[in-house]
Amino acid sequence: MIEVAEHLAAVLAMVQPLGGAQRDVAAARGRVLRHPVFAAVDVPGFDSSAMDGFAVRDLAAPATLRVIADLPAGTDLDPRMDAGDAARIMTGAPVPTDATAVVPFEDTAHGLAGGLDPVAVLLPPRGPGAHIRRRGSDVRAGDLVVSQGTRLNAARIGAIAASGVGAVSVSRAARVAVVSTGSELVAPGAAPRRGQIPESNSVLLAGLAEEAGAEVVLRTSVGDEGEGPRRAIAAAEEAGADVVVFSGGVSAGAYEVVKNTLGDLMRFERVRIQPGKPQGFGRTPGGVLLFGLPGNPVSAAVSFELFVRPALRALEGDADLGGEAARVALTVGRRARPERVQYVPVRVDRSDPARWTATPTAHGTRGLGDADGLAVIPPSADDLVAGDLVTVTRW
């Protein structure tokens, strides 16, 4: 058997990142930056008010001031101000050049209801610059806003847009084909005969691929005999797939159709994990990545998280190939295995912020559906007991 890291390294060594394309920043959420983004403008672009209130000049004590201007957000007015003057100003509006601070409405006698009448300031500013956002205090033109290899979420595209950048270079989504194998499979909802089971792996793996940011271009199944896997690869290539994920047909049985038909394209390994020991991986002459995962749904899901998801991220140029992880206390004991790493579906209880706990879910597909992470149990001769800390990676 080989180690998880060894198999993953072999996978990642064959990944050639997808090319980038320009996309409007508003349409780039979920994609990975191919080039760093630098601010095109100062943010904010001028000294602006951080509060609704009154711009004042050199005010050090309570006073009644003459209101000489009204400055909404978006105005280009810059009224001259003397000591004793005030300008009603809204959040985000440019602060007059002569003003030294902003007094919030809450610190005046009548607040907004006072209108443009003389304003009685009850609490003077704490000092020069109070409630003023200085030009460039967030970002200066030319500053790095988001690094290359970052997956863009809503907050990041908001920061890019605020910095005056309207388009970014991002990777397209990886295109994935999912192929379940097994002559016993019938479509979900169909009445199975004796020996048949509903086909679920393609639904599961396609969903995991989409949750990873990929585009599923083909989902199909093939039987245990014939050249079904090769035909599936041809169909995937015609659909523009970058990756083909097979489930089943990779173990040591007599009807392992992927292993029996694709030995010239794929390597088949035994990896030191439970579940998911049998794994296959390769690449077509055209560069399509081929994954062979076990047929058991839990094994297939674990294998996807360990090997397929990092490859999809690497295809997009994502700098972060791993998932979110935390050290969490087990609620029950767990038998250790000295020869393999265990990946156990668990449900994490976060009700106590000071001590998260993880409970293994039931075996099988229902338990997999209840899980929101995988507890990693390293090889050991010593069994774990309730309260022991383990690393849990989020789905």
Side-chain angles (χ1 to χ4, degrees):
M1 289 191 288
I2 65 173
E3 303 294 337
V4 171
E6 183 179 350
H7 187 61
L8 178 58
V11 169
L12 296 179
M14 287 196 185
V15 172
Q16 296 180 351
L18 303 170
Q22 287 292 111
R23 181 175 290 191
D24 185 277
V25 65
R29 186 173 64 85
R31 302 274 55 86
V32 174
L33 273 180
R34 300 302 296 166
H35 302 289
V37 174
F38 298 94
V41 297
D42 291 341
V43 182
F46 44 83
D47 290 354
S48 64
S49 178
M51 300 287 287
D52 294 330
F54 293 90
V56 299
R57 178 174 179 174
D58 301 329
L59 184 65
T64 298
L65 307 176
R66 179 171 63 104
V67 178
I68 53 92
D70 190 20
L71 305 175
T75 185
D76 62 353
L77 296 177
D78 187 7
R80 182 179 180 278
M81 293 181 60
D82 296 316
D85 290 341
R88 191 171 73 167
I89 191 168
M90 301 300 138
T91 301
V95 174
T97 301
D98 294 333
T100 57
V102 171
V103 176
F105 283 135
E106 294 84 351
D107 295 341
T108 67
H110 301 291
L112 183 61
L116 300 179
D117 293 333
V119 56
V121 176
L122 305 178
L123 185 65
R126 62 180 180 274
H131 303 300
I132 295 176
R133 293 183 63 215
R134 295 299 183 188
R135 176 174 182 165
S137 58
D138 184 358
V139 174
R140 287 285 185 183
D143 284 353
L144 177 67
V145 179
V146 183
S147 300
Q148 176 181 342
T150 301
R151 191 172 296 276
L152 298 177
N153 56 21
R156 287 170 178 148
I157 64 173
I160 291 170
S163 72
V165 176
V168 291
S169 177
V170 294
S171 296
R172 65 169 172 81
R175 302 186 186 110
V176 176
V178 179
V179 185
S180 289
T181 70
S183 298
E184 75 279 15
L185 304 177
V186 297
R193 302 193 311 270
R194 177 178 170 83
Q196 292 183 321
I197 60 173
E199 194 283 297
S200 63
N201 275 0
S202 72
V203 177
L204 167 65
L205 294 171
L208 289 173
E210 289 175 341
E211 289 176 358
E215 175 189 358
V216 176
V217 296
L218 176 68
R219 184 171 66 83
T220 189
S221 60
V222 299
D224 287 329
E225 298 179 352
E227 295 295 317
R230 289 193 184 277
R231 291 193 295 272
I233 290 173
E237 290 181 321
E238 185 175 351
D242 306 297
V243 176
V244 179
V245 181
F246 291 98
S247 66
V250 298
S251 192
Y255 299 97
E256 307 297 331
V257 66
V258 175
K259 191 172 183 180
N260 293 341
T261 62
L262 299 180
D264 58 325
L265 296 177
M266 301 178 68
R267 291 174 53 188
F268 296 91
E269 307 279 7
R270 293 186 306 151
V271 181
R272 200 180 300 277
I273 57 175
Q274 181 188 16
K277 180 172 68 173
Q279 298 288 330
F281 178 72
R283 189 170 62 186
T284 70
V288 177
L289 300 180
L290 306 174
F291 287 88
L293 311 185
N296 175 276
V298 178
S299 299
V302 169
S303 300
F304 183 97
E305 293 301 315
L306 293 180
F307 306 119
V308 183
R309 188 185 294 271
L312 294 177
R313 290 186 173 188
L315 278 169
E316 290 191 75
D318 198 327
D320 182 10
L321 301 185
E324 179 186 350
R327 295 288 285 174
V328 179
L330 285 174
T331 60
V332 296
R334 183 76 185 184
R335 179 184 175 188
R337 292 187 175 273
E339 75 285 358
R340 286 196 274 176
V341 183
Q342 297 180 69
Y343 289 85
V344 182
V346 293
R347 185 73 182 175
V348 179
D349 182 352
R350 301 171 180 79
S351 57
D352 181 356
R355 185 174 175 80
W356 291 3
T357 59
T359 302
T361 56
H363 293 292
T365 54
R366 186 180 68 177
L368 182 65
D370 290 336
D372 56 6
L374 292 173
V376 184
I377 314 296
S380 175
D382 299 322
D383 293 342
L384 280 73
V385 299
D388 282 347
L389 295 178
V390 296
T391 297
V392 173
T393 60
R394 298 288 305 277
W395 283 126

